[in-house]
């Protein structure tokens, strides 16, 4: 909207003075009167053709909410100021600070606290802020469908993070030239901790793991006294001494000095260490069921728990109450039954059938929870598993455990991804009727009785 400009009237320097005051006064009145009449006519025509703009706000919020200060205007939708980085020095300005594994980070809790002090808008909700980290190899896949599968696995993680308001970082480079294969995650996790001081947790999820309960949210309150969460079983560690007593492909780790120290110790058993071969021998002699001689990240973490229980056990939560990650072989065959059981619940509970925005999915997850008490958890349960992990299947290389055929792996991945995607697509009005068919969708019919009301 363009505001009208004011006109400034000036006396003409060419006007000639009159000798007689009377005529001077009369001319002055005539000149002034003519100017006023002209101005009035111009104003009248302007008002007729250009409606006077109404500058009053039409919103019903109180004035205090309408007049935002400059900081409010720069805030994101999550209430954090993304455009402010004060000049106060932080750990980022320390030339000795390194993202590399070779140089340990010291006093990280104090440094992170200081950063949050200079960025107060991130303080609210910091205790529950999660950054999900995942990644894959830097080169194209050998498996002809490998890149397509990795893309879909990544989309799956992006969907989950969007629903729950998490940030996500996908890495496809080796951040340490020697730390390859399953060891590649450790330099990425450390770098993510430094890059995200605003986050309390870093959540590593392997590239071959898919979220298959898109509504479920981690029970962070359960882990308030721990610094790491991993799917595992104490009896298998301390009694069976098994290298499969936990799975290091999915873990939650607190962004703190304890975790920095753990990563430093953990990575010292990897390929970057001069004792790498020796560590492989130690692990294999300790865990009799370990199948290969090289030191691996999973066996290394189990070894730390086994040998230094007093130092690590109280800080690492071994989650066994739900599928923080679940072995795909015992899961994928039950997706259809799980789908039907959930639909059966919805048929009896109209509020669960109500169409809603994707952003409020967590509320409907809370509604649903009271009807899942009999579903159980883990093997044999008809509850959706949080994560289906395709351990033994390598979508990029095409390699797989010889216990099953490669096609079994790839078909299982497609089924799991479609099962998860259906939960997302429903918010957009569509669903795949056949979990084995990725290309066919149908529209979800409206099925919410008008007489039920919103609740």
């Amino acid at each position: 909207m363009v505001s009208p400009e004011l006109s400034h009237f000036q006396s003409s320097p060419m006007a000639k003075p009159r000798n007689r005051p009377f005529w001077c006064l009369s001319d002055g009145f005539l000149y002034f009167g003519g100017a006023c009449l002209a101005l009035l006519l111009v104003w009248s025509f302007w008002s007729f053709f250009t409606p006077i703009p109404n500058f009053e706000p039409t919103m019903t919020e109180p004035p205090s909410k309408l007049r935002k200060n400059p900081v409010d205007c720069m805030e994101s939708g999550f209430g954090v100021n993304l455009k402010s980085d004060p000049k106060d020095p932080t750990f980022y300005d320390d030339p000795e600070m390194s993202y590399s594994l070779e140089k340990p980070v010291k006093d990280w809790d104090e440094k992170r606290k200081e950063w949050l002090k200079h960025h107060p808008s991130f303080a609210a909700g910091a205790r529950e802020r999660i950054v999900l980290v995942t990644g894959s190899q830097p080169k194209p896949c050998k498996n002809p469908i490998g890149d397509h599968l990795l893309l879909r696995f990544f989309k799956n993680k992006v969907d989950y993070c969007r629903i729950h308001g998490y940030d996500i970082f996908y890495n496809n480079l080796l951040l340490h030239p020697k730390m390859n294969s399953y060891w590649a995650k450790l330099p990425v996790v450390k770098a993510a901790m430094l890059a995200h001081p605003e986050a309390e947790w870093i959540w590593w999820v392997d590239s071959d793991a898919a979220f298959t309960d898109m509504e479920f949210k981690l029970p962070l309150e359960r882990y308030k006294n721990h610094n790491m969460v991993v799917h595992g079983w104490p009896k298998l560690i301390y009694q069976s001494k098994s290298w499969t007593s936990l799975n290091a492909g999915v873990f939650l780790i607190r962004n703190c000095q304890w975790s920095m120290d753990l990563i430093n110790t953990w990575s010292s058993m990897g390929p970057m260490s001069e004792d790498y071969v020796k560590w492989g021998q130690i692990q294999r002699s300790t865990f009799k069921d370990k199948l290969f001689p090289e030191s691996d990240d999973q066996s290394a973490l189990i070894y730390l728990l086994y040998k230094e229980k007093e130092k690590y056990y109280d800080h690492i939560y071994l989650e066994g109450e739900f599928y923080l990650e679940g072995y795909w072989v015992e899961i994928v065959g039950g997706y259809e039954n799980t789908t039907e059981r959930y639909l059966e619940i919805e048929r009896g509970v109209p509020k669960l059938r109500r169409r809603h925005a994707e952003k409020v999915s967590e509320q409907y997850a809370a509604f649903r929870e009271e009807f899942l008490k009999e579903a159980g958890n883990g093997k044999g349960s008809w509850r959706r598993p949080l994560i289906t992990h395709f351990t033994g299947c390598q979508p990029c290389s095409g390699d797989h455990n010889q216990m099953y055929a490669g096609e079994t792996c790839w078909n299982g991945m497609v089924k799991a991804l479609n099962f998860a995607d259906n939960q997302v697509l429903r918010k957009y009005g569509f669903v795949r009727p056949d979990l084995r068919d990725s290309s066919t969708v149908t529209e979800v019919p409206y099925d919410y009785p008008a007489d039920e009301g919103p609740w």
Side-chain angles (χ1 to χ4, degrees):
M1 181 180 297
V2 179
S3 300
E5 297 180 356
L6 296 178
S7 300
H8 298 279
F9 293 92
Q10 298 178 346
S11 299
S12 171
M14 302 299 293
K16 295 182 180 181
R18 304 269 184 171
N19 292 329
R20 291 163 39 181
F22 177 81
W23 286 111
C24 185
L25 183 64
S26 299
D27 290 347
F29 274 117
L30 288 173
Y31 183 85
F32 181 78
C36 289
L37 180 61
L39 181 62
L40 182 63
L41 288 172
V42 169
W43 179 84
S44 299
F45 279 105
W46 181 275
S47 301
F48 182 79
F49 290 105
T50 306
I52 299 175
N54 178 16
F55 291 103
E56 291 297 318
T58 57
M59 296 180 288
T60 57
E61 283 86 347
S64 60
K65 289 189 177 181
L66 295 175
R67 293 191 294 269
K68 287 191 173 184
N69 59 44
V71 174
D72 292 332
C73 294
M74 293 188 292
E75 288 183 355
S76 75
F78 297 100
V80 295
N81 190 349
L82 301 178
K83 293 186 177 180
S84 174
D85 192 17
K87 294 181 180 179
D88 307 79
T90 67
F91 66 91
Y92 287 116
D93 301 300
D94 180 2
E96 297 300 314
M97 193 276 286
S98 173
Y99 294 84
S100 175
L101 288 177
E102 279 91 355
K103 195 165 185 178
V105 174
K106 301 296 182 183
D107 302 318
W108 176 235
D109 293 338
E110 291 74 17
K111 291 174 180 176
R112 183 170 169 246
K113 183 179 179 180
E114 184 70 14
W115 187 92
L116 286 169
K117 175 183 168 184
H118 294 307
H119 300 78
S121 70
F122 289 93
R127 301 294 292 178
E128 295 189 352
R129 191 168 290 125
I130 293 175
V131 173
L132 191 144
V133 181
T134 186
S136 60
Q137 77 303 317
K139 296 181 180 179
C141 293
K142 295 179 182 179
N143 183 1
I145 61 171
D147 288 309
H148 172 71
L149 289 171
L150 288 182
L151 175 64
R152 290 206 59 192
F153 273 111
F154 180 49
K155 176 196 178 299
N156 167 264
K157 295 175 178 69
V158 170
D159 285 339
Y160 183 86
C161 289
R162 184 183 65 253
I163 289 169
H164 296 282
Y166 300 154
D167 287 332
I168 184 169
F169 173 61
Y170 189 98
N171 177 65
N172 64 344
L173 286 172
L174 291 177
L175 299 189
H176 190 290
K178 292 183 178 180
M179 299 290 273
N180 54 15
S181 188
Y182 24 73
W183 289 101
K185 69 188 70 166
L186 295 187
V188 182
V189 169
K190 178 187 175 180
M193 291 169 69
L194 292 170
H196 289 278
E198 82 286 356
E200 181 71 10
W201 296 96
I202 301 298
W203 191 359
W204 172 268
V205 181
D206 274 356
S207 61
D208 60 353
F211 286 94
T212 42
D213 188 345
M214 306 304 282
E215 291 180 340
F216 187 87
K217 194 169 185 177
L218 288 174
L220 294 180
E221 182 64 21
R222 184 186 301 178
Y223 314 134
K224 63 183 179 181
N225 297 321
H226 297 80
N227 294 328
M228 187 177 190
V229 184
V230 63
H231 196 208
W233 304 267
K235 287 185 178 180
L236 292 181
I237 296 175
Y238 298 106
Q239 296 180 18
S240 303
K241 293 192 289 186
S242 171
W243 85 287
T244 60
S245 54
L246 61 78
N247 191 296
V250 177
F251 61 83
L252 193 69
I253 190 165
R254 193 182 296 276
N255 196 355
C256 65
Q257 184 62 48
W258 181 92
S259 301
M260 288 289 189
D261 295 339
L262 172 65
I263 289 175
N264 186 49
T265 302
W266 193 0
S267 60
S268 69
M269 302 185 196
M272 63 179 280
S273 170
E274 295 180 355
D275 298 323
Y276 175 57
V277 174
K278 184 181 76 173
W279 278 117
Q281 296 169 350
I282 292 173
Q283 291 170 12
R284 201 167 192 189
S285 66
T286 306
F287 310 118
K288 303 300 183 181
D289 60 345
K290 182 171 164 60
L291 301 176
F292 48 92
E294 295 84 12
S295 173
D296 67 281
D297 66 316
Q298 183 166 295
S299 297
L301 183 59
I302 300 170
Y303 184 84
L304 291 175
L305 277 165
Y306 178 72
K307 286 293 186 179
E308 300 186 60
K309 184 176 181 179
E310 292 184 2
K311 183 176 182 180
Y312 292 107
Y313 185 73
D314 288 341
H315 296 279
I316 299 177
Y317 193 101
L318 296 172
E319 180 61 83
E321 295 185 38
F322 66 91
Y323 274 131
L324 181 62
E325 61 82 41
Y327 185 37
W328 67 277
V329 172
E330 61 188 41
I331 292 176
V332 294
Y335 287 147
E336 287 85 359
N337 178 56
T338 295
T339 299
E340 182 53 37
R341 296 296 292 269
Y342 274 62
L343 290 174
E344 183 181 342
I345 292 173
E346 291 181 6
R347 283 192 283 268
V349 186
K351 68 180 180 182
L352 290 176
R353 301 200 304 271
R354 186 186 184 207
R355 294 191 292 201
H356 57 271
E358 185 180 67
K359 283 293 185 184
V360 295
S361 296
E362 288 184 5
Q363 179 176 350
Y364 288 83
F367 290 157
R368 195 189 312 277
E369 194 60 33
E370 65 177 291
F371 303 98
L372 297 175
K373 294 176 182 178
E374 304 301 321
N377 279 291
K379 190 174 182 179
S381 167
W382 53 267
R383 178 190 287 266
R384 294 169 182 162
L386 173 59
I387 292 178
T388 301
H389 194 182
F390 285 84
T391 306
C393 299
Q394 299 181 26
C396 192
S397 68
D399 296 336
H400 55 85
N401 192 311
Q402 295 306 308
M403 292 170 55
Y404 28 77
E407 287 302 314
T408 307
C409 284
W410 324 141
N411 292 338
M413 290 177 179
V414 169
K415 195 173 181 181
L417 291 165
N418 287 345
F419 175 72
D421 207 29
N422 269 355
Q423 298 167 44
V424 177
L425 283 173
R426 283 189 68 182
K427 310 301 188 299
Y428 294 80
F430 294 88
V431 70
R432 288 184 176 89
D434 185 351
L435 296 181
R436 296 164 297 182
D437 182 2
S438 299
S439 59
T440 304
V441 295
T442 59
E443 188 172 359
V444 178
Y446 180 79
D447 186 24
Y448 185 74
D451 58 351
E452 288 287 346
W455 307 121

